[in-house]
Amino acid sequence: MDLPRDGNTDTTIALQGDSCIDAIWRPQPAGGQLTLLIYHREGVERVLLSPGVPVVVGRAPPSQVRIQDSSLSREHARFTLSNGLLTVEDLQSTNGTWVSGSRVARAEVRPGDDVMLGNLLVSVRACSSEEGVQTVLLSHERFRVVLEDEVVRARHFGRTFAVVMVRAERSAGAHVSRFYPRVRAMLRPVDRIGLYSPDTLAILLPEARPEAALALARALTAPSTTGEPALLAGIASFPDAATSAEKLLELCFRATRGLTCDQPVQVAQAGACQCSGAAGGGEPGEEYVAESPAMRRIFEVVARISRSPVPVLLLGETGTGKEVVARAIHKQGPRSARKMVTVNCGAIPEQLVESTLFGHERGAFTGASQQQRGVFEEADGGTVFLDEVGELPPAAQAALLRALETRRVTRVGSVREIEVDVRVIAATHRDLEGMCASGGFRLDLLYRLNTITLTLPPLRARPEEIEAFAIRFLRQANDANATAIRGVAPGALALLKSYTWPGNARELRNAIERAVVIAEGEWISEHDLPERVRAAQVSPAPPCDEPARDVEEAGAEMPEGADGLKARLLRHEAEVIVAALRKAGWNQTEAARALGIPLRTLVHKLKALGIRKLGYAPAGESPH
């Protein structure tokens, strides 16, 4: 049911995440509204103030604005707008209410002032009515969902986009509230912003070419004349740098490491091709973890096959460590003193695949201003790792097959064959046999690649390795951020072991890196972990050969009172959906747009999740 949104109707606003707002907002005079921007670890909540309507911020009822943060008291502070003046009153809170660095019992605040409620920053802003209903800042979890959707869209339509991570220079110690307005002013209406940490923003730039992202990053990091903190920016582009949401976030995070005001911008270089020197190179700390029986068996096989020149095909989900295994094969073999060249086949434009792999002559095509050696020539005597080999177009598959059979390559624009000696290791998360059956991949090429096939198990099938990975990623994140987080608290570790990690080790790395940045104590706690991880119940993970059913199927069969992992995940999804519906006044079209999903998907989920049955639809309201 669509509720009317006119001047005679009060509307209750409910926000996503761990916060909930029941405060009533009403249309304001033409002069505009006063707004509270409440920054917490998951994002920002915007509270529109009305004259004569007090708003209490706290951790639990009866506060109208409720945010689950341990530094807040149950009823922490009251904000009241009266006769054009805004006052804040501390409600005998434990951690106090602070204005301009001083603890106050009651104080008058103006637009531009910041108020600290415990560890939460509340910024007072003036805005127009139109600005008041716009989303301010996505939570990190919501930004990830939007980014994942953009990857699917861009892959389907052959588009490009970029992710930019912007943070305040460390010595500045600035909160994002200090520079968010300037960042937002430089973006297009279609761009999305997420809160990565208190001093870092993540920006999604749909349809943006790498050069456009670089121009924006340079503009953002240009010295400010208004006293704003110095900014630093890392950039990762799809598909040039990476082709998955987790990898893009990882590359952006890495790109911001070591930046200074003298070098404020870094473009992630892990794109279509990477060339490593002796022993395979690779990122620091990329050594393998093999504490589970399955991975020990994998690396026993690696030790046996590393000295052979035969091709190897690595299968497994994204983030399971296929490149780490490829480097181990190269490093332990007789070619370790030569180069290992890594090619992301999904990141190369179709018209440039053959040129990238086999090189080209000057004038072979528009833009070929000079002769260029290909990947196979660069790796002569060493190893070529073809990541995401299932993404190769048909013409490139035929050329690769010939190179494997003849051990010779021909540059684009030439008829001369060049003899090369390389070992080929290929990897994919796709079902190549199924692609062969449908005509998407050459069967004869598959036979050439899969002389030896290794299937890497997902992280959920080897939970005994989660702690080892977490500690390794923690140490790396401490080094990168000059922090001293001591470890992972038992409760947080139990959640890490219970979560199914669809993004595997890469998703775990990103979770730990962000937790190190936002942790307020010496240990990573449950509240420092991503929202999707916190939703997991501490229970054994499902076996990998019995994958969890999708939400729709599980929701139809979930019994009343179920308290398993699936029930918790379903309840969390339902809460997010209902929060969006309430915020949109039960307008399904607006809610679907806010969630970033098609309307038909939302309608299907409303039916499949049984929201009314689970008690989410208030009396008298219908989600349909």
Side-chain angles (χ1 to χ4, degrees), residues 196-515:
Y196 184 82
S197 72
D199 67 349
T200 305
L201 296 172
I203 305 169
L204 169 61
L205 305 174
E207 305 281 342
R209 298 291 304 167
E211 54 269 23
L214 180 59
L216 172 66
R218 287 172 173 166
L220 291 172
T221 58
S224 172
T225 59
T226 58
E228 294 174 349
L231 299 182
L232 311 172
I235 304 169
S237 297
F238 175 98
D240 296 354
T243 55
S244 72
E246 292 292 349
K247 185 66 173 179
L248 288 165
L249 287 173
E250 177 185 331
L251 291 176
C252 268
F253 178 83
R254 292 185 183 183
T256 61
R257 297 176 182 178
L259 292 177
T260 65
C261 293
D262 295 330
Q263 184 186 352
V265 177
Q266 177 70 40
V267 179
Q269 297 300 319
C273 299
Q274 278 184 291
C275 186
S276 304
E283 290 287 334
E286 285 291 318
E287 299 81 8
Y288 60 83
V289 170
E291 297 190 7
S292 65
M295 289 307 293
R296 283 198 293 268
R297 287 194 296 270
I298 289 289
F299 283 100
E300 287 172 0
V301 175
V302 165
R304 293 199 300 269
I305 67 174
S306 59
R307 304 195 66 81
S308 168
V310 299
V312 178
L313 178 62
L314 303 177
L315 305 177
E317 298 176 6
T318 298
T320 50
K322 295 187 289 294
E323 185 171 353
V324 174
V325 173
R327 291 189 186 282
I329 294 173
H330 175 75
K331 185 175 181 179
Q332 295 179 34
R335 299 171 182 266
S336 60
R338 304 300 295 269
K339 293 179 181 179
M340 172 176 165
V341 182
T342 299
V343 184
N344 184 342
C345 300
I348 311 172
E350 183 173 348
Q351 64 273 21
L352 296 179
V353 172
E354 291 187 60
S355 169
T356 300
L357 295 178
F358 311 121
H360 62 256
E361 297 292 343
R362 180 180 179 181
F365 51 85
T366 303
S369 57
Q370 59 184 8
Q371 186 186 76
Q372 180 68 48
R373 284 157 52 101
V375 164
F376 277 72
E377 285 185 75
E378 287 291 337
D380 190 27
T383 301
V384 170
F385 176 49
L386 300 174
D387 197 11
E388 301 299 346
V389 70
E391 306 299 327
L392 283 176
Q397 292 180 32
L400 175 60
L401 176 62
R402 176 170 175 76
L404 292 173
E405 290 177 337
T406 65
R407 304 180 71 85
R408 291 180 174 84
V409 298
T410 302
R411 294 174 183 165
V412 177
S414 172
V415 295
R416 183 174 66 91
E417 291 186 332
I418 301 172
E419 187 170 349
V420 292
D421 174 25
V422 299
R423 181 182 196 166
V424 174
I425 304 174
T428 184
H429 69 281
R430 303 187 66 176
D431 177 10
L432 292 186
E433 291 186 359
M435 292 179 65
C436 289
S438 63
F441 200 81
R442 294 181 63 113
L443 185 60
D444 48 2
L445 176 58
L446 176 59
Y447 288 152
R448 292 293 305 182
L449 292 174
N450 69 352
T451 305
I452 297 175
T453 300
L454 295 177
T455 301
L456 277 62
L459 189 57
R460 63 180 175 274
R462 38 190 172 118
E464 57 267 69
E465 297 181 354
I466 290 177
E467 182 174 0
F469 272 121
I471 297 304
R472 170 178 295 178
F473 298 152
L474 171 63
R475 291 170 179 164
Q476 294 171 7
N478 272 335
D479 292 341
N481 294 280
T483 51
I485 301 299
R486 296 175 59 185
V488 182
L493 183 59
L495 286 176
L496 293 178
K497 291 182 177 180
S498 295
Y499 182 58
T500 55
W501 300 108
N504 294 292
R506 182 170 291 124
E507 183 182 0
L508 174 59
R509 178 202 290 273
N510 288 345
I512 294 297
E513 287 176 339
R514 181 171 181 268

Side-chain angles (χ1 to χ4, degrees), residues 70-337:
S70 59
S71 69
L72 287 182
S73 296
R74 180 178 294 272
E75 292 181 274
H76 198 104
R78 179 188 296 114
F79 290 84
T80 305
L81 179 62
S82 180
N83 298 323
L85 299 178
L86 178 61
T87 58
V88 58
E89 302 171 76
D90 184 76
L91 302 179
Q92 298 182 336
S93 66
T94 300
N95 294 315
T97 299
W98 304 74
V99 178
S100 300
S102 299
R103 186 165 183 167
V104 300
R106 185 178 187 277
E108 181 180 320
V109 290
R110 297 176 174 82
D113 288 347
D114 290 335
V115 180
M116 293 297 299
L117 306 181
N119 294 328
L120 268 63
L121 185 145
V122 181
S123 183
V124 181
R125 292 288 183 267
C127 66
S128 67
S129 297
E130 181 180 355
E131 293 171 329
V133 298
Q134 293 177 351
T135 301
V136 176
L137 195 60
L138 297 175
S139 69
H140 177 63
E141 182 68 18
R142 185 73 195 108
F143 182 85
R144 278 175 46 134
V145 171
V146 172
L147 179 57
E148 289 166 357
D149 289 345
E150 183 65 20
V151 167
V152 174
R153 189 195 69 83
R155 189 189 301 273
H156 180 77
F157 291 107
R159 304 287 185 162
T160 185
F161 68 86
V163 179
V164 180
M165 195 169 285
V166 182
R167 67 173 176 86
E169 200 271 332
R170 281 200 182 94
S171 62
H175 192 273
V176 294
S177 61
R178 294 276 307 280
F179 57 87
Y180 169 78
R182 181 163 71 94
V183 173
R184 175 72 265 183
M186 291 187 181
L187 302 182
R188 305 165 300 174
V190 297
D191 299 332
R192 310 301 293 274
I193 310 179
L195 181 67
Y196 184 82
S197 72
D199 67 349
T200 305
L201 296 172
I203 305 169
L204 169 61
L205 305 174
E207 305 281 342
R209 298 291 304 167
E211 54 269 23
L214 180 59
L216 172 66
R218 287 172 173 166
L220 291 172
T221 58
S224 172
T225 59
T226 58
E228 294 174 349
L231 299 182
L232 311 172
I235 304 169
S237 297
F238 175 98
D240 296 354
T243 55
S244 72
E246 292 292 349
K247 185 66 173 179
L248 288 165
L249 287 173
E250 177 185 331
L251 291 176
C252 268
F253 178 83
R254 292 185 183 183
T256 61
R257 297 176 182 178
L259 292 177
T260 65
C261 293
D262 295 330
Q263 184 186 352
V265 177
Q266 177 70 40
V267 179
Q269 297 300 319
C273 299
Q274 278 184 291
C275 186
S276 304
E283 290 287 334
E286 285 291 318
E287 299 81 8
Y288 60 83
V289 170
E291 297 190 7
S292 65
M295 289 307 293
R296 283 198 293 268
R297 287 194 296 270
I298 289 289
F299 283 100
E300 287 172 0
V301 175
V302 165
R304 293 199 300 269
I305 67 174
S306 59
R307 304 195 66 81
S308 168
V310 299
V312 178
L313 178 62
L314 303 177
L315 305 177
E317 298 176 6
T318 298
T320 50
K322 295 187 289 294
E323 185 171 353
V324 174
V325 173
R327 291 189 186 282
I329 294 173
H330 175 75
K331 185 175 181 179
Q332 295 179 34
R335 299 171 182 266
S336 60

